[in-house]
Amino acid sequence: MVQVRNLVFARGERMIFDGIDLDIARGSVTAIMGPSGTGKTTLLKLIGGQLCPQSGSITVDGENVPGLGISALYKLRQRMGMMFQSGALLTDMSVFDNIAFPIREHTDLPETLVRDLVLMKLQAVGLRGASNLMPNELSGGMARRVAMARAIALDPMMVMYDEPFTGQDPISKGIVVKLIHELNAALGLTSIVVSHDVQETAAIADYVYLLSGGKVVDQGAPDSLWESASEWSQQFLNGEPDGPVPFHYPAPAFRDDLIGGGRRA
Amino acid sequence: MILDPLQRLGRSGISFFGRLGRGNVFLLQTLAGLPALLLRPGLIVRQIYSVGVLTLLIILVSGLFVGMVLGLQGYNTLADFGAEESLGVAVALALVRELGPVVTGLLFAGRAGSALTAEIGLMKATEQLSGMEMMAVDPMKRVIAPRFLAGFLSMPLLAAIFSAVGVYGGFFVGVGLLGVDEGAYWSQMQANVDLQDDIYNGVIKSIVFGFAVAWIAVFEGYDAVPTSEGVSRATTRTVVHSALVVLGLDFVLTALMFGD
């Protein structure tokens, strides 16, 4: 479904991706994992065509995303759904209208049919009873579920989830894990889950990419990664505070700093 | 050391012209989004309500007080020359030519412009605009263009209302309280306010100010740094830049219209 080849992307002087390759298989749940600031969300924006790489190719369903014109890109996006970390719900619309928004924008369906479709999506995420609430009346977990329902509103071929578990209580996390897994199977989706929550992501992913320092440092099925010989993978998956990723931010020797009497180089 | 101020000057110059360029490209994109709006008048009506109708109260109250002050000041000055019967024309010309468009432009920037910037800036900060893009909905057409058009259309109407209410404010003080002849107040105004020179020129001013303030407001919101501080700064910039642009343009337009 998605092929990324030799992707190079930098923001100013800072290199985010230095020639990475990824393959997302159709029908799978693929996890992109790595520490904060590795560019996981940036990768989703590159796949969605919101950012343009310096070089390399990103192919989604046979179309090279960076080479698409604006109308072709918007056509492709109608077949993609994205759930943002913040939910990105439109705050001046109710839950119902948020989910109806993409349907009303892209189709001429009669309002009775729109209503049925929205209620079906809300039923799928368990929030049919919350259809009249405004986004500011939702808990964080409910907002994610509404965002999920909106992401599948147009029955896309692929859904990208940006940090779906961050800041959720255990029950909400469990619900989101279940929904990603079940929606992927029931709707025949391809899912890309960007996360640094190891347990939850490993529970539903078919394949995992571990990113760090602009490179893919490890990849494989979740079970195989636990057996990985890579020290970096072991540190990340087991949440060890020190290792290849050092505990201390680079600094001069502590002794020199103390003796220096507060004078900084 | 000597180069530091020069570097800073160069950096701010590049940043200024960079923003100016982005602002112009943004305006072209906004204008390109306008034709599609004709098919969706509901979007424009909703924005005219929040940009125009909700600004009415401040315009009505300010127009009334400005007209009352003009009536009082005008009467005191004209009475020295025994020309208090010209109060109507003095109030009307001051309002229609200058104060109507200019004060409405300033109030519009403070009430509606700042609200537009804050709303768009917060939509950007909370990823609502990115979310729309990913739903294949162009925020330039769905969010920016209707707000820009609503601001552009509302401003001349608000300026006209401001002037009309101001004329009644002057009437209330001049005729009602100070005893100027009612017939003279209206007939002098009717005889000496010219449709072409005064009313049309005032309307042109308010159209130009509406265009400028709406452009600044939506651009500052769209270009805001997506943080609470960034949105706050953008909102302040909208009010300050709009006020300066309205006053500067007023001088240019006045010189062109009435400079002879």
Side-chain angles (χ1 to χ4, degrees):
Chain A
M1 173 71 81
V2 181
Q3 269 194 338
V4 176
R5 289 288 174 270
N6 201 22
L7 179 73
V8 175
F9 181 76
R11 285 184 196 274
E13 302 282 299
R14 191 172 159 236
M15 183 63 76
I16 310 284
F17 297 120
D18 189 9
I20 64 166
D21 295 327
L22 295 169
D23 284 287
I24 314 282
R26 198 178 289 272
S28 67
V29 177
T30 303
I32 314 283
M33 300 179 77
S36 302
T38 350
K40 303 184 295 293
T41 303
T42 305
L43 181 62
L44 292 189
K45 290 190 169 178
L46 284 160
I47 294 172
Q50 287 191 299
L51 295 172
C52 205
Q54 271 79 24
S55 68
S57 69
I58 302 163
T59 312
V60 176
D61 199 31
E63 298 190 70
N64 182 31
V65 176
L68 291 176
I70 193 78
S71 59
L73 182 61
Y74 273 32
K75 279 228 158 59
L76 180 64
R77 280 182 189 160
Q78 288 184 34
R79 294 187 284 141
M80 293 177 175
M82 179 149 173
M83 195 192 97
F84 284 80
Q85 187 175 351
S86 61
L89 299 177
L90 301 168
T91 46
D92 59 339
M93 292 181 188
S94 68
V95 165
F96 182 94
D97 288 330
N98 260 285
I99 297 162
F101 181 79
I103 304 173
R104 287 175 178 150
E105 288 290 322
H106 295 301
T107 68
D108 290 323
L109 294 176
E111 204 51 31
T112 47
L113 202 52
V114 171
R115 181 175 177 278
D116 290 350
L117 284 172
V118 172
L119 291 180
M120 282 161 66
K121 305 298 172 189
L122 278 171
Q123 176 73 6
V125 297
L127 290 177
R128 190 166 42 81
S131 65
N132 291 324
L133 296 182
M134 294 301 285
N136 61 5
E137 296 172 295
L138 303 173
S139 68
M142 288 164 83
R144 300 270 168 98
R145 285 151 72 185
V146 174
M148 225 180 226
R150 191 178 66 176
I152 57 167
L154 290 173
D155 293 326
M157 59 181 180
M158 175 177 110
V159 178
M160 297 186 276
Y161 300 91
D162 187 8
E163 302 283 7
F165 314 115
T166 306
Q168 303 285 301
D169 63 69
I171 298 172
S172 300
K173 262 188 201 175
I175 291 171
V176 174
V177 167
K178 172 180 176 288
L179 282 173
I180 293 176
H181 183 63
E182 288 184 359
L183 289 175
N184 196 73
L187 304 176
L189 297 169
T190 300
S191 301
I192 306 175
V193 182
V194 151
S195 178
H196 48 222
D197 292 275
V198 175
Q199 302 297 341
E200 288 78 10
T201 312
I204 49 169
D206 298 309
Y207 202 81
V208 178
Y209 285 94
L210 292 181
L211 300 184
S212 181
K215 301 271 187 194
V216 175
V217 291
D218 216 340
Q219 59 179 290
D223 292 344
S224 71
L225 286 180
W226 291 106
E227 313 297 326
S228 168
S230 159
E231 282 183 40
W232 190 96
S233 301
Q234 288 305 323
Q235 186 191 357
F236 180 77
L237 295 170
N238 295 311
E240 291 160 6
D242 207 355
V245 180
F247 171 72
H248 287 288
Y249 192 79
F254 190 33
R255 184 172 178 277
D256 295 346
D257 227 1
L258 290 175
I259 292 171
R263 278 177 280 122
R264 312 292 298 191
Chain B
M1 287 292 275
I2 298 168
L3 284 178
D4 277 358
L6 274 177
Q7 276 183 340
R8 275 200 297 275
L9 186 68
R11 214 174 291 137
S12 55
I14 290 169
S15 155
F16 172 77
F17 284 108
R19 267 176 69 77
L20 197 62
R22 281 206 305 280
N24 280 294
V25 171
F26 175 85
L27 177 64
L28 292 177
Q29 289 173 332
T30 306
L31 295 177
L34 293 181
L37 274 181
L38 297 176
L39 300 172
R40 305 182 68 179
L43 283 180
I44 309 171
V45 171
R46 212 170 305 143
Q47 290 307 321
I48 285 181
Y49 175 77
S50 75
V51 169
V53 177
L54 296 181
T55 312
L56 255 181
L57 183 65
I58 190 171
I59 294 294
L60 289 171
V61 175
S62 307
L64 185 70
F65 281 119
V66 168
M68 287 165 70
V69 168
L70 279 175
L72 193 56
Q73 293 278 21
Y75 178 84
N76 288 337
T77 309
L78 293 169
D80 290 344
F81 303 99
E84 57 268 33
E85 291 190 343
S86 301
L87 183 65
V89 68
V91 168
L93 285 181
L95 282 166
V96 170
R97 282 183 171 195
E98 284 299 328
L99 294 172
V102 172
V103 178
T104 305
L106 298 176
L107 292 171
F108 185 71
R111 165 61 184 80
S114 59
L116 280 177
T117 303
E119 185 189 14
I120 296 168
L122 282 171
M123 286 182 87
K124 185 179 179 186
T126 53
E127 293 185 305
Q128 293 180 53
L129 298 182
S130 276
M132 274 192 194
E133 281 178 7
M134 284 309 296
M135 286 186 276
V137 175
D138 186 354
M140 294 302 291
K141 289 180 182 156
R142 184 61 175 68
V143 175
I144 305 297
R147 283 163 176 77
F148 171 78
L149 188 61
F152 175 59
L153 294 176
S154 301
M155 180 50 211
L157 298 173
L158 291 170
I161 292 169
F162 183 97
S163 296
V165 173
V167 165
Y168 278 102
F171 175 84
F172 173 69
V173 170
V175 176
L177 301 180
L178 299 172
V180 174
D181 180 66
E182 184 179 349
Y185 186 88
W186 294 116
S187 63
Q188 288 264 0
M189 193 186 302
Q190 201 173 3
N192 293 300
V193 175
D194 186 73
L195 183 68
Q196 182 79 38
D197 284 348
D198 303 318
I199 309 267
Y200 284 173
N201 280 337
V203 171
I204 290 170
K205 274 188 181 181
S206 61
I207 290 172
V208 173
F209 297 161
F211 187 91
V213 173
W215 176 20
I216 290 170
V218 291
F219 173 67
E220 288 292 356
Y222 198 75
D223 202 50
V225 177
T227 60
S228 36
E229 191 197 3
V231 175
S232 150
R233 280 171 185 249
T235 310
T236 308
R237 271 201 306 272
T238 289
V239 177
V240 174
H241 291 180
S242 297
L244 294 176
V245 165
V246 164
L247 295 170
L249 280 174
D250 183 47
F251 174 74
V252 174
L253 291 172
T254 305
L256 290 172
M257 291 167 175
F258 307 105
D260 292 331

